[in-house]
């Protein structure tokens, strides 16, 4: 896979992955997924070849490696990335490069007079005349002699000189930047995120992606109470989040009729809880059809009235799939800090009304009761309203920097058969995962 | 939505380009595409067209052609006046006076000057959006170097007594440059540099059925703000950069058309506004009309529908092909929002306020569509919001 023998000075990126290595029998699957995700992520910054070695991946960008490196640092599953220099597999050539790289690394930490340090060589090419330990020892001695600030510390090095010896050549590196960690997107299966224009739900979606979930999105749109700008805002959020998982599907379910009906027939205090139950119903229908294993929300316990434990239970009771809530224990400022880091914050704070604020009660119920919800719902033809919303649901396939693809509702949700409550698993089985594919039904 | 199926009543936000202005834009893009600085025939023709556009604007504004500086729009014209005059006059003082309802182009420019040591006094407006010349006078100080007041309020249409204000500025702050943002007034009321006695007037093409992204700052003889852009010295060294001739030619045509048709349009707009006002009043006796009925442009009608969420009304109207705007502070995306609050209107009322605004292409049928749609929607939304 590597290029010739003497592309000296040519840089490659050594990518270490976090928990992928821990997953025993699934390891090859995880590595394959990570490699595909890296390739997809790199497509936006330019062509690159890839290779595997010793529990790490090697990436060879054709152009400047800096943008590739920045991009790799956003891919889940990546623990860290090191820019490496390619040399001939000859200690006489490896040594001067090692001296240069360590010298540069030390010049970036002027204040520290003792830098704990180790050499870490791997030898994929068994024909290489020296064993890894010998390489470690030889290079260690050379570097210690040249830089008196270095102090060997095999346990907790803050500077590691790495050497990968492969068939065609060797790669030497001294620098390392952290990646986001987590699991490669796709290995954990699909979830359906209920996304509003707010700050929380995009962060929850990002956290689910971090644990290897592919996230599909569903938003509720109460036209004509709410304008097109709100929908565009949610699309911008999904577009931004697609950066972390590739092209993403957004379902837009009409919600005005349901809200109006709830507004007319329910006690004012229960409105918000009832909206959320209806959202969960619609969400579960779409989730099953698209093989999602759970719903995902941005709830944080007690943040607003609809997020007390009682009210979360009321909402969840209407769902027949698990509801994942990665922000349960987050404070608002922690969520905001993450939103800023992933670039959704500036979009979330754009003023645009969201449907949850429509007919908002002045005194919402704090400890809602499931029975009370059920008895109101018995008065409403909720099944019909849910079907109508599903039937005119819009779907978009969104990616950063690409034009939207709009799918007509008919191609997504052909006359919906009732979900089969006996056998949810049959549809929600293997997490096969073509990004943005539109499997319809079972 | 196709043009014929909508009733566009949001002309204060922007207008449809007049086909005659669009034809000019197209001509200077496709045929007479020369650079006015080139010395070959195509360039010479472009320079001539630019000169003619400048003369047209000067005639429309009763100004000197040499005082017309073409810009990228109203925002740049306001910025050039506020920042430019403050910088050239700074040795006389560091104090600015602006109206509370000014466009952000003026307010933010004044705020930015805070960094350069300038201080700003804001003159309040009353409930009808009126600015009292006496209040401007008392805000002026001997070290005031820029006074900026908008001629027509963009939410309410209220006209400021600019020539009275000009006189007040002259006596109280003789060194100050008096800038008038006439973006909303031009084409709807007579605007004359000479008659107002202003030092500069800002205009924007897209509010008068011209193309977007072009406007002008019209300067009184001898007045020169410091330029914002540095480069090839175009526009008398006040606005470097190859001139946007397609935009400028389209703007000049639109300006000429606006001035020519003003006398005929004003009474037509008055009738439209009365028709709308009466239609709404008949069905909705509790609606409130905002602004100053005595002195305002005839193209804007601001109405408060108590108890109705304005944004929901807007979107329900949009679903029926009637396009308007809201005065709401937080939900309408940008612009205009602060104006009603600055006039002392309660937030509650601001949230229930809709602005209807007319242009050349507004017909009685458009107004009738609004009159037919609004009352039922108001009743429906009121019931739902109670
Ligand atoms: C009073 C006023 N001034 C300035 C502007 C800005 O003009 P432009 O959109 O050409 O930058 C506008 C338009 O939004 C306006 O209404």
């Amino acid at each position: 896979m590597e290029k010739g023998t003497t592309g000296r000075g040519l840089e490659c990126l050594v990518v270490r992955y976090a928990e992928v290595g821990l997953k025993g029998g699934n390891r090859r699957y995880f590595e394959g997924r990570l490699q595909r995700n890296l390739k997809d992520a790199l497509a936006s910054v330019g062509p690159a070849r890839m290779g595997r070695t010793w529990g790490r991946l090697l990436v060879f960008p054709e152009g400047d490696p800096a943008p590739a490196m920045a991009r790799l640092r956003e891919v889940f599953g990546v623990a860290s990335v090191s820019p490496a220099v390619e040399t001939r597999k000859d200690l006489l050539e490896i040594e001067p490069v090692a001296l240069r790289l360590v010298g540069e690394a030390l010049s970036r930490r002027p204040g520290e007079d003792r830098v704990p340090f180790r050499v870490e060589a791997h030898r994929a090419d068994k024909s290489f005349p020296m064993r890894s330990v010998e390489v470690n020892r030889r290079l260690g001695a050379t570097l210690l002699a040249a830089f008196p600030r270095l102090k060997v510390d095999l346990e907790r090095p803050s500077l590691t000189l790495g050497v990968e010896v492969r068939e065609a050549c060797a790669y030497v590196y001294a620098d390392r930047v952290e990646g986001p960690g987590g699991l490669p997107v796709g290995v954990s299966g699909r979830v359906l995120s209920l996304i509003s224009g707010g700050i929380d739900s995009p962060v929850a979606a990002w956290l689910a992606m971090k644990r290897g979930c592919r996230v599909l999105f569903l938003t509720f749109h109460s036209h004509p109470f709410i304008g097109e700008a709100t929908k565009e805002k949610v699309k911008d959020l999904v577009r931004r989040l697609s950066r972390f998982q590739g092209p993403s599907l957004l379902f837009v379910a009409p919600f005005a009729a349901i809200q109006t009906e709830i507004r007319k027939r329910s006690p004012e205090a229960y409105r918000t809880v009832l909206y959320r139950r209806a959202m969960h119903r619609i969400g579960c229908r779409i989730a099953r059809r698209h093989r999602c294993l759970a719903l995902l929300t941005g709830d944080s316990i007690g943040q607003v009235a609809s997020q007390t434990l009682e009210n979360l239970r009321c909402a969840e009771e209407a769902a027949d799939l698990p509801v994942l809530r990665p922000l349960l224990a987050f404070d608002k400022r922690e969520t905001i800090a993450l939103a800023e880091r992933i670039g959704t914050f500036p979009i979330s704070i754009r003023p645009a009304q969201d449907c949850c604020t429509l007919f908002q009660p002045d005194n919402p119920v704090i400890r809602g009761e499931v029975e009370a919800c059920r008895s109101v719902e018995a008065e409403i033809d909720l099944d019909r309203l849910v079907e109508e919303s599903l039937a005119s649901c819009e779907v978009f396939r969104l990616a950063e920097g690409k034009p939207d693809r709009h799918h007509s509702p008919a191609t997504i949700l052909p006359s919906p058969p009732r979900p089969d409550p006996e056998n949810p698993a049959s549809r929600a089985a293997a997490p096969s995962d073509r990004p943005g594919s539109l499997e319809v039904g079972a | 939505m196709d043009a014929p199926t909508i009733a566009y009543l949001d002309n204060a936000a922007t207008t449809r380009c007049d086909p005659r202005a669009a034809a000019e834009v197209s001509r200077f893009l496709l045929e007479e595409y020369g650079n006015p600085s080139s010395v070959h025939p195509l360039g010479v023709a472009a320079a001539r067209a630019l000169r003619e556009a400048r003369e047209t604007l000067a005639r429309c504004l009763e100004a000197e052609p040499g005082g017309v500086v073409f810009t990228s729009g109203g925002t740049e014209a306001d910025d050039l006046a506020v920042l430019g005059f403050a910088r050239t006059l700074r040795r006389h003082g560091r104090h600015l006076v602006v109206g509370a309802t000014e466009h952000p182009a003026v307010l933010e420019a004044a705020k930015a000057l805070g960094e350069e040591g300038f201080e700003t006094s804001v003159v309040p407006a009353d409930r009808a959006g009126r600015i009292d010349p006496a209040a401007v006078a008392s805000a002026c100080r001997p070290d005031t170097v820029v006074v900026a007041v908008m001629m027509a309020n963009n939410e309410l249409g209220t006209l400021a007594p600019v020539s009275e204000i000009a006189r007040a500025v002259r006596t109280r702050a003789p060194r100050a440059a008096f800038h008038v943002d006439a973006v909303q007034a031009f084409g709807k009321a007579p605007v004359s540099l000479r008659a107002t006695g202003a030092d500069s007037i800002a205009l924007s093409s897209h509010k008068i059925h011209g193309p977007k992204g072009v406007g002008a700052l019209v300067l009184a003889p001898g007045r020169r703000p410091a330029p914002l852009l540095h480069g090839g010295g175009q526009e008398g060294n006040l606005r470097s950069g190859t001139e946007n001739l397609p935009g400028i030619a389209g703007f000049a045509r639109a300006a000429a058309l606006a001035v020519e048709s003003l006398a005929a349009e004003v009474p037509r707009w008055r009738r439209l506004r009365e028709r709308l006002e009466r239609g709404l009043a008949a069905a909705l006796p509790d609606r409130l009309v905002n602004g100053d009925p005595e002195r305002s442009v005839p193209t804007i009608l601001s109405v408060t529908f108590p108890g109705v969420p304005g944004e929901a009304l807007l979107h329900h109207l949009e679903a029926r092909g009637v396009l308007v705007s809201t005065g709401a502070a937080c939900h309408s995306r940008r612009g205009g929002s602060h104006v009603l609050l600055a006039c002392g209107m309660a937030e509650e009322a601001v949230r229930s306020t809709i602005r209807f605004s007319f242009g050349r292409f507004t017909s009685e049928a458009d107004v009738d569509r609004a009159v037919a749609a609004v009352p039922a929607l108001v009743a429906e939304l009121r019931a739902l919001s109670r």
Side-chain angles (χ1 to χ4, degrees):
Chain A
M1 291 206 79
E2 295 128 61
K3 215 164 157 185
T5 39
T6 53
R8 264 157 297 172
L10 178 118
E11 291 198 74
C12 98
L13 301 171
V14 177
V15 179
R16 288 173 215 80
Y17 31 89
E19 297 165 54
V20 176
L22 305 176
K23 297 282 171 174
N26 282 333
R27 180 172 171 152
R28 285 190 64 81
Y29 169 60
F30 279 51
E31 284 179 342
R33 165 60 61 191
L34 179 61
Q35 195 170 338
R36 257 186 292 160
N37 291 355
L38 291 176
K39 214 173 181 82
D40 289 345
L42 287 173
S44 63
V45 290
R49 289 174 305 118
M50 246 180 256
R52 288 192 205 183
T53 182
W54 280 98
R56 35 202 74 177
L57 294 168
L58 298 179
V59 174
F60 305 87
E62 276 178 22
D64 177 9
M69 175 135 148
R71 192 73 183 96
L72 293 179
R73 293 185 63 195
E74 294 175 332
V75 179
F76 292 120
V78 171
S80 62
V81 184
S82 296
V85 175
E86 185 181 291
T87 72
R88 229 194 295 242
K89 324 184 284 183
D90 177 346
L91 211 50
L92 287 177
E93 235 187 77
I94 294 173
E95 243 174 24
V97 172
L99 282 165
R100 172 165 70 81
L101 293 180
V102 171
E104 284 168 7
L106 284 173
S107 69
R108 281 193 292 272
R109 3 179 143 189
E112 305 166 39
D113 23 313
R114 296 214 141 251
V115 179
F117 156 83
R118 72 173 290 177
V119 179
E120 207 175 270
H122 292 126
R123 187 177 56 133
D125 175 17
K126 301 298 174 196
S127 72
F128 188 67
M130 289 170 86
R131 291 196 302 128
S132 303
V133 231
E134 291 172 55
V135 177
N136 289 349
R137 215 174 287 135
R138 267 279 299 273
L139 283 177
T142 311
L143 291 165
L144 287 170
F147 303 106
R149 284 159 70 197
L150 294 177
K151 174 171 163 279
V152 175
D153 185 340
L154 302 183
E155 303 295 312
R156 317 186 62 176
S158 78
L159 176 61
T160 300
L161 180 88
V163 182
E164 304 283 340
V165 182
R166 310 188 70 204
E167 265 103 77
C169 45
Y171 302 94
V172 189
Y173 53 87
D175 233 6
R176 159 198 302 241
V177 293
E178 299 303 311
L183 299 171
V185 167
V187 301
S188 305
R190 298 175 159 208
V191 298
L192 181 68
S193 153
L194 307 193
I195 188 171
S196 66
I199 294 167
D200 300 350
S201 42
V203 174
W206 182 84
L207 287 170
M209 291 175 195
K210 178 171 173 217
R211 296 313 299 169
C213 298
R214 170 163 294 284
V215 179
L216 283 66
F217 296 89
L218 166 62
T219 194
F220 297 92
H221 190 53
S222 287
H223 187 74
F225 293 94
I226 309 282
E228 201 64 13
T230 303
K231 201 200 284 180
E232 287 303 314
K233 178 180 171 184
V234 174
K235 282 161 92 181
D236 285 348
L237 285 168
V238 173
R239 232 175 254 126
R240 175 72 205 179
L241 288 164
S242 73
R243 192 177 176 81
F244 306 102
Q245 68 165 9
S248 305
L249 284 189
L250 170 67
F251 298 83
V252 181
F255 206 56
I258 292 179
Q259 284 193 286
T260 313
E261 198 64 14
I262 290 174
R263 157 72 185 78
K264 284 182 185 152
R265 302 202 190 275
S266 69
E268 176 174 346
Y270 265 81
R271 278 178 206 161
T272 313
V273 173
L274 290 165
Y275 295 164
R276 305 208 62 194
R277 282 172 62 87
M279 290 175 179
H280 281 49
R281 276 178 219 274
I282 292 173
C284 286
R285 289 289 300 280
I286 294 176
R288 286 184 182 286
R289 195 170 284 282
H290 294 276
R291 291 182 295 99
C292 296
L293 299 168
L295 301 187
L296 178 78
T297 71
D299 295 314
S300 158
I301 300 173
Q303 180 171 267
V304 295
S306 63
Q307 296 175 1
T308 60
L309 284 178
E310 289 85 350
N311 289 346
L312 291 179
R313 168 157 191 275
C314 285
E316 180 145 3
E317 198 269 340
D320 54 4
L321 286 173
V323 181
L324 308 183
R325 299 182 170 94
L327 303 182
L328 271 187
F330 276 49
D331 291 350
K332 195 74 186 182
R333 69 187 156 78
E334 295 173 303
T335 306
I336 288 174
L338 265 184
E340 279 175 336
R341 179 175 149 202
I342 66 180
T344 53
F345 187 71
I347 307 173
S348 290
I349 59 172
R350 263 168 23 196
Q353 207 180 359
D354 101 48
C355 69
C356 296
T357 61
L358 204 57
F359 318 133
Q360 212 171 22
D362 291 332
N363 297 299
V365 66
I366 303 293
R367 303 185 198 293
E369 285 169 24
V370 172
E371 272 317 310
C373 297
R374 286 210 186 120
S375 71
V376 177
E377 285 169 352
E379 307 281 303
I380 302 175
D381 192 354
L382 203 53
D383 284 344
R384 178 182 57 83
L385 291 167
V386 166
E387 293 306 335
E388 282 173 4
S389 174
L390 286 169
S392 34
C393 185
E394 292 180 285
V395 187
F396 300 90
R397 188 169 187 268
L398 303 170
E400 260 199 333
K402 298 223 183 84
D404 300 356
R405 268 172 46 194
H406 183 267
H407 301 276
S408 80
T411 60
I412 315 301
L413 297 165
S415 61
R418 304 287 305 179
D420 179 1
E422 308 298 344
N423 189 10
S426 66
R427 273 182 220 148
S432 112
D433 191 44
R434 296 292 309 128
S437 63
L438 285 172
E439 297 89 342
V440 176
Chain B
M1 272 175 273
D2 297 332
T5 71
I6 62 170
Y8 184 73
L9 298 177
D10 197 16
N11 288 275
T14 195
T15 56
R16 175 166 172 247
C17 194
D18 189 292
R20 292 164 287 184
E24 288 291 283
V25 177
S26 169
R27 180 156 72 92
F28 285 92
L29 284 172
L30 300 178
E31 292 155 33
E32 303 188 29
Y33 52 83
N35 184 330
S37 302
S38 300
V39 292
H40 50 63
L42 213 52
V44 172
R48 187 187 319 120
L50 181 62
R51 178 170 50 73
E52 286 169 3
R54 205 181 299 289
E55 288 163 359
T56 303
L57 256 294
R59 260 198 312 280
C60 291
L61 272 289
E62 300 193 290
E64 297 294 323
V68 176
V69 182
F70 288 111
T71 66
S72 66
T75 299
E76 189 191 330
D78 281 334
D79 271 55
L80 177 57
V82 175
L83 299 172
F85 279 128
R87 286 171 186 157
T88 50
L89 298 172
R90 66 187 310 153
R91 70 203 137 87
H92 301 304
R94 307 237 172 132
H95 181 243
L96 319 168
V97 173
V98 301
T101 56
E102 292 306 299
H103 189 271
V106 168
L107 296 179
E108 294 298 316
K111 201 198 268 175
L113 282 169
E115 299 273 301
E116 298 174 32
F118 285 85
E119 193 192 329
T120 301
S121 301
V122 178
V123 181
D126 71 5
R127 260 305 295 270
R130 282 177 295 231
I131 299 268
D132 182 358
V136 178
S138 63
C140 284
R141 315 192 306 217
D143 64 338
T144 303
V145 288
V146 177
V147 178
V149 173
M150 74 202 314
M151 190 159 173
N153 180 308
N154 50 352
E155 288 293 328
L156 301 169
T158 305
L159 283 164
V162 276
S163 37
E164 255 181 86
I165 295 174
R167 281 194 293 278
V169 172
R170 294 285 168 257
T171 41
R172 299 291 301 242
R175 294 188 198 282
F178 177 45
H179 173 65
V180 171
D181 177 337
V183 167
Q184 291 288 350
F186 185 52
K188 287 105 196 169
V191 179
S192 154
L193 183 74
R194 202 167 300 144
T196 54
D199 292 300
S200 59
I201 288 185
L203 303 174
S204 176
S205 153
H206 72 99
K207 309 278 188 186
I208 57 160
H209 303 282
K212 293 174 178 55
V214 58
L217 185 67
V218 182
L219 297 164
R223 283 303 204 171
R224 281 185 72 80
L228 304 177
L229 300 184
H230 304 276
Q234 289 90 342
E235 297 295 290
N237 211 15
L238 284 173
R239 210 285 182 174
S240 284
T242 298
E243 300 85 348
N244 169 14
L245 193 53
I248 290 169
F251 176 28
R253 190 69 209 273
L257 289 169
V259 171
E260 265 166 39
S261 60
L262 186 64
E265 285 287 75
V266 167
R268 189 179 76 89
W269 284 325
R270 287 224 174 92
R271 283 194 302 275
L272 287 176
R273 190 168 68 172
E274 253 164 55
R275 191 181 182 91
L276 177 57
E277 222 179 311
R278 256 187 294 156
L280 295 175
L284 300 162
D286 62 345
R287 65 65 224 70
L288 300 164
V289 172
N290 306 303
D292 181 353
E294 311 283 299
R295 286 183 51 90
S296 73
V297 292
T299 47
I300 292 181
L301 182 69
S302 169
V303 188
T304 303
F305 301 99
V308 176
E311 181 159 350
L313 180 54
L314 177 150
H315 294 308
H316 276 78
L317 283 170
E318 122 203 335
R320 283 157 182 75
V322 179
L323 304 189
V324 299
S325 76
T326 59
C330 37
H331 295 321
S332 104
R333 275 203 290 190
R334 290 177 90 210
S337 49
H338 72 286
V339 173
L340 297 178
L341 290 172
C343 297
M345 206 189 265
E347 249 178 81
E348 188 65 32
V350 171
R351 267 199 293 276
S352 299
T353 298
I354 292 284
R355 178 187 69 184
F356 303 88
S357 53
F358 310 145
R360 181 170 306 147
F361 305 114
T362 311
S363 65
E364 284 188 357
D366 297 330
V367 167
D368 291 349
R369 270 173 81 175
V371 170
V374 171
L377 292 174
V378 163
E380 184 188 328
L381 291 171
R382 216 172 250 164
L384 284 171
S385 315
R386 197 170 294 133

